[in-house]
Every structure is written in C-alpha cells, then in structure tokens.
C-alpha cells in the first residue's frame, strides 16, 4: 500500500485491481508517484484493472495531464491492465475532465464510469 496526504494506492484482490483514491489537490511528483507505485503493483499482481476514486479529486495541472497521457499511459498499455474505471458522480465538477480522459483512454482500454465501487 502507498499512502500520502494526497492519495492512497492499494491492490484489491476481489477485483484484481489497483485502487487509487485521491484525497486532495497535488501536482508534479506528488501526483506522479502514486501512479508509478500503482503501475508497479499492476506488474507484481498481474492486475487487469485500474480504479480511480475521483470523489475528492481535482482538476489536473496541464503538465501532469500531459505526463499522464505521454508517459504513464504508454507504460500501462504494456502491462496486464486492460480496464480503467472512474468512480465519479454524475454531478461531479470533474465530469468534463473525466469524460475527456475517458475518450483519450478508450483507444487503449475498456473504460467505465461508475458512481460507487460496490
């Protein structure tokens, strides 16, 4: 498990998934480190799913979004992960950003948006 004041990352055996729960705004290494840890977990566990809880999420800095799409996603496409899930409420202020990420990720993964995990 990886835990900072910004994010928690853990493996959910029941879902064979890496679960990323954002707590508050962060950027640069504070944003990128949890993703790197999660990718290591995917590779160790052969996880097939990445789940991000955006309940306490935030709009990304443009540099971090660029890093996500240009650096992190290409690494992830080479892993066992084939599904990305966003936990997001329909009225979330992040809905437009997550819809944009969903469209970008759809070319590489099965992508779903749900309101709660269980």
């Amino acid at each position: 498990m990886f835990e900072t004041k910004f994010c928690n990352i853990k493996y959910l055996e029941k879902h064979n998934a890496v679960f990323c729960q954002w707590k508050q705004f962060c950027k640069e290494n504070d944003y990128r480190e949890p993703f790197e840890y999660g990718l290591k977990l995917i590779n160790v566990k052969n996880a097939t799913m990445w789940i991000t809880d955006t309940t306490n999420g935030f709009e990304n800095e443009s540099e971090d979004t660029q890093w996500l799409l240009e650096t992190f996603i290409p690494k992830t496409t080479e892993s066992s992960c084939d599904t990305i899930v966003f936990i997001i409420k329909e009225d979330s202020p992040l809905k437009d950003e997550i819809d944009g990420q969903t469209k970008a990720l759809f070319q590489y993964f099965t992508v779903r948006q749900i309101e709660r995990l269980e």
Side-chain angles (χ1 to χ4, degrees), residues 48-52 54 68-69 73 76-77 81-88 95-115:
T48 57
M49 188 181 308
W50 180 286
I51 302 169
T52 296
T54 69
L68 187 72
L69 297 174
I73 294 304
T76 307
T77 62
C81 183
D82 61 12
T83 303
I84 306 289
V85 176
F86 293 102
I87 300 172
I88 186 166
K95 188 72 170 125
D96 288 342
E97 180 175 352
I98 298 302
D99 285 347
Q101 288 186 17
T102 296
K103 288 176 188 170
L105 295 170
F106 189 69
Q107 61 186 314
Y108 306 107
F109 306 97
T110 300
V111 184
R112 295 181 23 218
Q113 294 183 15
I114 60 176
E115 290 207 8

Side-chain angles (χ1 to χ4, degrees), residues 38-73:
L39 183 56
K40 287 178 187 173
L41 261 184
I42 285 173
N43 291 325
V44 166
K45 301 289 190 177
N46 283 326
T48 57
M49 188 181 308
W50 180 286
I51 302 169
T52 296
D53 183 350
T54 69
T55 304
N56 297 312
F58 47 86
E59 287 192 31
N60 292 341
E61 294 285 319
S62 60
E63 294 85 6
D64 289 329
T65 298
Q66 184 176 352
W67 172 86
L68 187 72
L69 297 174
E70 294 178 1
T71 303
F72 179 75
I73 294 304

